[in-house]
Amino acid sequence: MLNFIARRILQSVFVMLAVGFIAFAMFRYVGDPINNMVGQDTTLAQREALKKQLGLDDPFMVQYLRFIGHAAQGDFGVSYRQRRPVSELIASRMPATLELSFVSALIALLLGIPMGIYTALKRRGVLSHTFMTISLIGISLPTFLIGILMILVFGVLLRWLPSFGRGEVVHLGWWTTGFLTKSGWLSLIMPAFTLALFQMTLIMRLVRAEMLEVMQTDFIKFARARGLPERMIHFRHALKNTLVPVITITGLQLGSIIAFSIITETVFQWPGMGLLFIQSIGAVDIPVMAAYLLLIAFFFVIINLIVDLLYFAVDPRLRLQKN
Amino acid sequence: MALLDIEKLHIEFASRHGALTAIDNVTLSLEKGEILGVVGESGAGKSTIGNAVMRLLEPPGKMTGGAVSLQGRRIDQLPPHQLRELRGRRISMIFQDPLTSLDPLQTIESQLVETMLVHLSLTRQQAHARAVELLESVGIPEPRLRLQQYPHQFSGGMRQRVVIALALCCEPEVVIADEPTTALDVSIQAQILDLLRKLCKEKQVGMILITHDMGVIAEITDRVAVLYRGKLVEEGPTGKILGNPDHPYTKSLISAVPRPDVKLRRFPMVTYIENVQTDSRKDLDIRTHWLGQARDYGRHDDTPLLRVENLGMRFVLKDAFLKKNRRMLDAVKGASFTIREGEVFGLVGESGSGKSTIARLIAGLYKASSGSVIFDNVNVTALRNEAGLNAFRRQIQMVFQDPYSSLNPRMRILDIVAEPIRFHKLASSEAQTRAIVADLLDYVGLGQRALRRYPHEFSGGQRQRICIARALATRPRFLICDEPTSALDVSIQAQILNLLKDLQEKLHLTILFISHDLPVIRQMCDRVGVMRHGELLEVADTETLFAHPQHEYSKHLLSLMPTLHFMSREGLELEKPATLA
Amino acid sequence: MDSTSTWARLRNSDLLYSFCHSPMAVVSALLALAIILGAVCAPLIAPHNPFDLASLNLLDANNPPAWADDGSTQFLLGTDDQGRDILSAILYGSRISLLVGLASVLFSIVLGVTLGLISGYAGGRIDGVIMRIADVQLSFPAILIALLIDGIARGLMPRDLQDRLSLYVLIFAIGISGWVQYARTVRGATMVERNKEYVQAARLIGMRPFTILRRHILPNVLGPVLVIATIHLAVAIITEATLSFLGVGIPPTTPSLGTLIRIGNSYLFSGEWWISIFPGLTLVLLALSVNLLGDWLRDALNPRLG
Amino acid sequence: QSKTLHWAYQGDMMSLDPMSLNETFTLGFQGWFYETLAGYDKNLKLVPMLATSWENPEPTKWIFHLRKGVKFHDGSPFTADDVIFSWKRSLTPGSDMKGYGAKATDVKKIDDYTVEVITPGPNPILPRDWTFLYIMSKKWSETHNTTQATNVKGGESNYANMHEDGTGPFVVVDRQPDVKTTLKRFDGYWNKNMPTNVTDVVFQPITQESTRVAALISGEMDIVQPVPVQDWPRLEKEPNVRVLNEPEARAIFIGMDQHRDQLLFSNVKGKNPFKDKRVREAIDLTVDTNVINKKIMRGAAKPLGTLIADKINGYDESFGKPYKPDVAKAKKLLAEAGYPNGFEVQLDCPNDRYVNDEKICQAVASMLARVGIKIDLLAQTKSKYFAKVLLQAGNNTSMYLLGWTPSSIDADNSLVNLVSCRNPKTAAGQFNLGGYCNPKIDAITAKIESETDQAKRNALIKQAFTMLRDDYGYLPLHQQPMSWGVRKGIKVAQRADDVLDIRNVVMP
Ligand SMILES: Nc1ncnc2c1ncn2[C@@H]1O[C@H](COP(=O)(O)OP(=O)(O)OP(=O)(O)O)[C@@H](O)[C@H]1O
Ligand SMILES: Nc1ncnc2c1ncn2[C@@H]1O[C@H](COP(=O)(O)OP(=O)(O)OP(=O)(O)O)[C@@H](O)[C@H]1O
Ligand SMILES: [Mg+2]
Ligand SMILES: [Mg+2]
């Protein structure tokens, strides 16, 4: 097991190197950072000088190697846009994104799984059809539209919830949390639901599909014959046997919640890494983009490692095959 | 008032091609402390009756008539929560397919304990203690360690015993046991039957015992019911039915039971067919049939076809980072034997002794931990390239012990059986393929209708026959049969064993035959190996073994073989005069 | 079976039977068909051609639907900010959206399922490599990948080819960013499935791993794939809209469904709801019908569900 | 009694360092805590700030008399040394204000409250040029090791980037870039007559238009800018909200490549249709800026026939009114020029830079389609757009939409940047992306630069722009609207450079 993890971590270094490489190969296509760094009166010569100073006219391989060299020493450079060290910048934005992702993942799981089970068991029920349909409406509209409709209803018409931002935050060391204040919680509701909607639908449908499959198996029949209560059959036996695909997708979705909370964060002006990233794309803030992508790569490597470990935890049949 | 009453039961499986009547007007009753045997043709509807009593019929199965009552109370209409209290607690059932009855993701312990906690007012510790006790009573060694394991770590027979333990753990009043001992070796079988009998006599439990094994019927049942194509054809006290059957079907059934005491040239076939249908069985002439064509491997020298040398297989039971914490299990240790071309080699032995593991090693499904398998002078264990392996695989086929999981649930039977033919392009046209498949299915006793159905629509025995048909469809040179007939009624069993015999005799098919059924082994095999705890204890000619077993364990095994001398011998084709009394 | 007509065989097939007996499936199929037909026949049935710039009149802009107070019957569902007839724009726009959505999802599935099967079945080093590539891929939001591919395509292709190929570039970009979900899901299921005895039976026949994967494992792991794919369709259509915002792919003068929604988005507050709501509704209906069809198909393909 | 103002803008200022970025919003916001020698009042009129008066004794020399008794936020007094230090700092490598710094060759201290500035050539508008050259405290900068402007290249963070020490009316209490900036009133501010009664400010950037508007309607924000023009009707119905609208000093126009011999993105090969004045005239006559204003800008913009807005020094109605549309004549002109069926050309357009930019381009495309000019519209985000069209990035464009605010609020700036022939040496024509070149206008521009008599200067400006107009050098569209949403009861002055000056905000 330790061996497995160690090998994975080693591989993750390669993953991150590859991510960095691709990232630098594509930064040329994102735009030209210089125009965002200077005012309109700055002369062409000054612009050229700045470009040269930043090494932006070097071939991307040179830029990449330079970045990797510095990153290896823990130096991710200075943001072009904010002129602050990137590591500091990302650290200040990470808590917001992680808290949002955590809550919406929780919502997606806590609603998605029971609804999936319900719709699988009561396949022809009215409520099942309602769940299945409504959840689809949620995913077939773009996130920005859903977000704005939510703001319109809950922020503007009803005025129950703040329409943007994170509310009051409490500092705990370098971490900032919105979990300790009322306005923090209120602010969290809309973005978390918006973000969770898609994942919830996916999880619900997957759980349903897998449950239908598992409920046909002989061991479920035998569990019935043993007189086990339905609850136990559904949750302990059936649900657990559906978990392999569900874990996979949940893991991936959790990763993408963190990685792609971009739109939600933008709509709700949620001060997290996604918003930072979209602004960085806008400003072609190469150091921030590079560091962000590496961080996301790292998250995914970890998440996928956990998913693979969970496979082993959930399914004993997979456990002994690694040799 | 009987303990359990089944009255005029009628069950149908509806489909859009018409309804199939699985049970037609069957009436049975069971008294306290009584063991009622149910025998009959495979697919006759025995399991269906059990399922109906438990209200676990799979859709589209439906009870269309009749009543089931427990101690005079109708139970076929109970609301779900009352039903739940009934199941497992008052009536429990042992399913025919022990290999898939267990949740693959839960340890044996958690499945046992949860059942007890639901029905009995026990603490977790008490339940655990009882679980250990139960496993011990069904003859599983090292119960404490085994409790922590998962179903896939158990051999077929061990899983069957776990299922039995699960069914008995709440001391039910009625037990429906569907083929509870098919996967068990004789000594364990004796132990289990003893357990069941004690349960019935001491605790006044009523039991319906569904089985194909006439030895078992003879040994423990009080009464026997004979089922044929969904109908009850005869019922009566065991001695009467076995010794002096009335109905022509029962008669031919009994004549087909393999005898341990005499060796037959061919098995007698059930000749009784009530209303002849289109799918009536026709005999195959192997010499002219496709099955017998192009089978010359160009070699008839004296070197054995298969040589197994010092074969070993070790499973990891508990993995750990530190070597000293790991627990390994030697499922097979240093097994060596040879099989000549055209020989039938039998493998018998304790359940969990490693027979299936050897079979899988030979078939190349497991990688051996040590030793080698040499097939046709090629060391297969050392083969790496695909081409070589494939050439070898075409010649070897295997019938798996578990007929439930060895069929792809999403393929029709036609496609399953035709697959090897199509894959190796053994037939010249699609039409011929279909004809061949139809012949094969016909011969294993499944009609044309089976072609377009899916595996789950078949009874256990029917699935096993599909597996056999598929294995034969490659026209193999070497066939591994892992309990090929355990779920078959004697009539079908006879037919299939005859087919195998024919293939062996006429085409030099080589067979590795694993079975618990000593009479069958005796009838089928030229030489036999005896296994226990992963070791091959003794290899001998069949007759020598049965007459003069060398090893203590072999002697013990043979002593437990049931004798069926009270059954009539009329119409048997003896190979040579009876040697044993 | 000789060729007694494929039609007869189709009529006999279980699939068609179960289809005709599921009202939900029939209704959603009709709905999907209507949308697809509308898209395909747009030039024939649309009252205006919204892609023909010369026919637009800015003075017609922002007309409400015909039934509203100052609506005009000329524009049944109203007009957008450029004076485009919304109904026609929806018909024409769904052509692009459907093409992009279907093609890119198909592309993801083919790529993802293939790699997932290989990965799960082979295990070991191959699995490691494929899954690490997946990790790399996951780290890039679809938007960035699209930017990259679009940039490279623009760099490599001559200018006159770009316009014709931009659609395919878009499909490729969206497709390539979606394969991982399929790959990882299929891989997990394959790892479970490959140990079942029916797979071993197939190995004994001498089937090559690829054949086993295709014939035996694939049908048994397709359930979750279908779930993700049907959801993915709507997502792909929306992603196209997001990308068009970045100037990758389809120009705003030939709007797709997603682009219409995006355009209309900025008019939601001002009360010109019809610009985004009607295309949104079309998308919802499309997603709904496709998903319901997917649900039905999955159940119908499972022989055990009566 | 405390009054807290909640304010939202579409972005954040980039830095607290007043020399890091020469961009209107950043500088405007910095003006709340930093001050210059001379500044603008609410009508963009030059008024004394840290200098009480100034004179121009010789063409190349200016003298500024500094205000006495002014204190920085850390309590230290403001003197001539700080002015000299700030000028020098504006010339350090990281500074983006080098252009302003370069307006002087030397700044000398006469005494503690007088400085003398030597300019490289005659400069009639130096105080105007320096309205955004903020004065920092020399002592504070030295203490915190921030005597150089924040540089991206440095690696470590610059103290001035996250902290300020100005003389302005507000002090930055807490700064979380992109998230929230909190300011409070500076008790020691020199100008006790400042109208504002605000004591605290909470600033939060909100990038999404709809979210911003929602925050205003829901009462979370007091002032938001900008609000989308199409939301006006809705906002006007809200009882507690008011929309402020003034035409901004930014002109929006479309440029055409008149430099290359063959267009990069067009189906016309071997020649450049835009070099033909008739083609340009046809285009200017086809596009109806009034309709664009009415439908796309909801009547909020001011249609223009030139490149400078009416607030700009030198604007004149004679050349500022839009061209009169005449499609028939346009068709004829095109036919004469040899394009009876029009031609195809790509139009580059940003989609997140100017108000409704992409929509404007679409409208232009469909209007031009009527005379057969087929526009292939490439609308992209601003960073990709600028990376395609700007000179430094290769100028890969045949036709483009651009907006321009002359930072000195003087027409000369537009002439130099947009109209002058490109000249890499003098940095003239830097934003003349179409390469329009008329040596006669260049000659007039040179005269404008050194003419110190305002009346004569204005006449020259008029002459230059009239020539440009007659030459159909550009397709001018309109003056972009400034659109602010304000809570009812709050008094604000909407300055034409879109800067919100806190000094003029009065809360109820
Ligand atoms: N789900 C189903 N759909 C259709 N037919 C079914 C289904 N399950 C069982 N049958 C049919 O019902 C009949 C009775 O099956 P059952 O399992 O009761 O047989 P059995 O007597 O237990 O046979 P065996 O001894 O082989 O286990 C068989 O012909 C089988 O094909
Ligand atoms: N995958 C596995 N992991 C761990 N242990 C296993 C595994 N498969 C089999 N075993 C163990 O190996 C031993 C031999 O199993 P095998 O299946 O060969 O027995 P068998 O002789 O076929 O028994 P039966 O007659 O009951 O089928 C058993 O103790 C079993 O628990
Ligand atoms: Mg059965
Ligand atoms: Mg076995």
Side-chain angles (χ1 to χ4, degrees), chain B residues 514-541:
Chain B
I514 300 172
S515 180
H516 292 302
D517 195 336
L518 291 175
V520 168
I521 287 280
R522 177 154 198 206
Q523 303 300 335
M524 287 295 295
C525 302
D526 300 314
R527 287 190 308 138
V528 180
V530 182
M531 286 193 74
R532 194 180 59 173
H533 298 332
E535 276 170 297
L536 198 58
L537 301 175
E538 154 167 35
V539 178
D541 283 348

Side-chain angles (χ1 to χ4, degrees), chain B residues 40-86:
Chain B
E41 191 197 25
S42 158
K46 305 180 295 293
S47 305
T48 307
I49 294 184
N51 285 336
V53 171
M54 297 298 287
R55 292 257 309 269
L56 282 172
L57 278 176
E58 267 185 58
K62 229 182 153 160
M63 202 171 133
T64 45
V68 180
S69 15
L70 183 67
Q71 295 196 318
R73 243 182 89 213
R74 282 283 289 264
I75 57 168
D76 51 325
Q77 251 128 36
L78 285 183
H81 65 277
Q82 288 181 20
L83 192 66
R84 194 159 62 235
E85 282 158 21
L86 199 79

Side-chain angles (χ1 to χ4, degrees), chain D residues 124-161:
Chain D
I125 56 166
L126 181 69
R128 206 175 259 285
D129 276 340
W130 274 7
T131 45
F132 282 119
L133 189 65
Y134 288 114
I135 306 300
M136 298 174 74
S137 158
K138 179 167 189 248
K139 190 178 128 245
W140 179 82
S141 303
E142 280 165 358
T143 324
H144 293 104
N145 195 18
T146 177
T147 53
Q148 304 249 328
T150 305
N151 192 339
V152 192
K153 196 59 195 146
E156 72 223 53
S157 52
N158 190 314
Y159 192 77
N161 186 34

Side-chain angles (χ1 to χ4, degrees), chain C residues 190-202:
Chain C
T190 305
M191 280 161 63
V192 174
E193 220 60 31
R194 72 165 172 200
N195 293 314
K196 301 226 169 125
E197 276 171 351
Y198 70 87
V199 175
Q200 298 177 347

Side-chain angles (χ1 to χ4, degrees), chain B residues 155-157 183 351-357 401 482-483 514 516:
Chain B
S155 79
S351 161
S353 61
K355 304 181 294 296
S356 301
T357 307
Q401 186 171 9
D482 196 352
E483 305 277 2
I514 300 172
H516 292 302

Side-chain angles (χ1 to χ4, degrees), chain A residues 213 224 226 236-237 241, chain B residues 103 106 114-115 119 410:
Chain A
E213 206 98 324
R224 290 234 164 85
R226 283 188 277 150
R236 199 134 154 209
H237 295 279
N241 275 277
Chain B
D103 183 344
Q106 309 270 355
E114 75 184 358
T115 315
H119 292 296
R410 285 180 198 266

